Amino acid sequence: MFYTSLTTFITLAAFVSATPTPTSSENFVTAFARAPSCTFPTPPKTSSLTSARTITGTFDGGNIRFDRGKGACGGQKEGGEKETVFLLSEGAVLKNVIIGANQAEGVHCLGSCTLENVWFEDVCEDAVTIKQKSGISTIRGGGAKNASDKVIQHNGGGTVVIKDYCVQNFGKLYRSCGNCSSQQKRSVIISNVIATNGKLIAGVNSNFGDVATITKSSLQLSSVSSMCDTFKATVGSGEPTKLTSNKANSSCKF
Ligand SMILES: *[C@@H]1O[C@H](CO)[C@@H](O)[C@H](O)[C@H]1NC(C)=O
Ligand SMILES: *[C@@H]1O[C@H](CO)[C@@H](O)[C@H](O)[C@H]1NC(C)=O
Ligand SMILES: *[C@@H]1O[C@H](CO)[C@@H](O)[C@H](O)[C@H]1NC(C)=O
């Protein structure tokens, strides 16, 4: 008994002294990360919502599958807030939820939000759209499958943190909006991700000063073409131009 507690004490003491003091948000994120998992939970039931559900505060879905009913995914047509499954208000936390294939817009965050263990079984247009004006939104745990284009679309400002995440069969895990009518500097911090069969981890607009910080050593990559691409984005219309692919610089830190 004494020996066990002593061992525990020594182990803890060693852990505490070995844990670096977080000096930046990136260190903070990686120091307290959990292992990502690609084991999608089995839902006890499916709930088909007839309209988007607005979340304020915390909603724990108990791993129920939520969707918007048959035929709700209309391909890659850019949809709006009415087509979401969940609409998160400033400060909202959505956890332990499965988003099924029958939906168009997944989750939109109107302010800073937290998604914890939110699983997208089959992404339609995009999985998560971040519209916060500033601040930090965090997506941790959970994962997304079969996003022909984007998983996390950052249209607002501030920072998005993606960690302990799984992404399989995807176009882009993260993209800072390439042609939004209101453009600004955006940041993304990515760590502890299992990424399989995809084109791009992060796409940023170097002409608006975006910065992607990716802890590459913490990623488990398989058949992923590029860590980070820079683009020259437009304002309001047209298509952005790709500038660099899979090259590290101060816009793409990895
Ligand atoms: C996801 O994509 C894989 C590979 O393309 C495919 O085999 C699978 O059927 C797709 N799953 C869904 C739910 O569409
Ligand atoms: C912005 O880009 C998207 C995807 O590249 C495209 O579908 C959309 O039409 C563009 N929007 C505008 C306003 O040009
Ligand atoms: C990174 O490279 C891109 C493409 O050449 C460039 O537009 C951008 O300014 C560079 N970023 C920085 C911060 O130098």
Side-chain angles (χ1 to χ4, degrees):
M1 179 64 189
F2 171 74
Y3 181 74
T4 309
S5 343
L6 186 64
T7 312
T8 307
F9 176 76
I10 291 168
T11 312
L12 271 175
F15 174 77
V16 168
S17 61
T19 304
T21 310
T23 51
S24 69
S25 52
E26 185 204 352
N27 284 348
F28 183 82
V29 165
T30 50
F32 300 99
R34 285 171 307 176
S37 163
C38 288
T39 305
F40 280 58
T42 305
K45 65 169 193 166
T46 300
S47 170
S48 291
L49 306 176
T50 52
S51 59
R53 179 173 294 182
T54 298
I55 307 294
T56 53
T58 298
F59 177 73
D60 185 332
N63 281 338
I64 288 173
R65 177 191 289 121
F66 289 89
D67 68 19
R68 293 293 308 273
K70 216 168 191 302
C73 173
Q76 286 295 296
K77 196 159 53 73
E78 197 86 38
E81 289 169 8
K82 280 201 179 72
E83 279 78 52
T84 61
V85 183
F86 292 104
L87 204 48
L88 272 56
S89 309
E90 167 66 39
V93 179
L94 179 67
K95 59 204 277 191
N96 304 322
V97 157
I98 299 170
I99 311 280
N102 293 325
Q103 45 84 33
E105 280 289 323
V107 175
H108 281 203
C109 290
L110 302 177
S112 297
C113 65
T114 302
L115 273 64
E116 198 176 306
N117 303 328
V118 175
W119 303 87
F120 293 85
E121 294 180 316
D122 189 2
V123 176
C124 181
E125 213 289 311
D126 36 33
V128 183
T129 304
I130 304 287
K131 298 176 162 177
Q132 66 183 4
K133 287 203 166 59
S134 60
I136 301 176
S137 283
T138 302
I139 293 145
R140 62 170 178 246
K145 285 197 275 203
N146 289 22
S148 55
D149 190 17
K150 287 160 256 186
V151 177
I152 294 151
Q153 166 84 28
H154 192 179
N155 289 354
T159 300
V160 174
V161 173
I162 304 163
K163 59 175 186 167
D164 314 332
Y165 204 68
C166 169
V167 62
Q168 297 174 322
N169 301 328
F170 63 103
K172 306 173 177 103
L173 171 58
Y174 167 92
R175 179 70 173 100
S176 169
C177 184
N179 61 8
C180 281
S181 56
S182 172
Q183 292 288 33
Q184 56 198 298
K185 173 185 155 58
R186 306 182 179 100
S187 300
V188 62
I189 300 172
I190 300 174
S191 64
N192 278 310
V193 172
I194 302 173
T196 308
N197 191 26
K199 292 196 184 84
L200 177 62
I201 298 294
V204 297
N205 306 322
S206 50
N207 60 322
F208 288 110
D210 289 356
V211 179
T213 306
I214 306 169
T215 309
K216 191 180 177 189
S217 61
S218 71
L219 269 49
Q220 297 170 56
L221 301 164
S222 156
S223 301
V224 174
S225 311
S226 172
M227 292 298 291
C228 185
D229 291 358
T230 60
F231 293 84
K232 181 172 190 247
T234 64
V235 182
S237 65
E239 291 296 318
T241 316
K242 194 193 281 187
L243 300 172
T244 58
S245 187
N246 205 28
K247 267 175 64 179
N249 76 358
S250 37
S251 309
C252 281
K253 300 180 182 170
F254 63 88

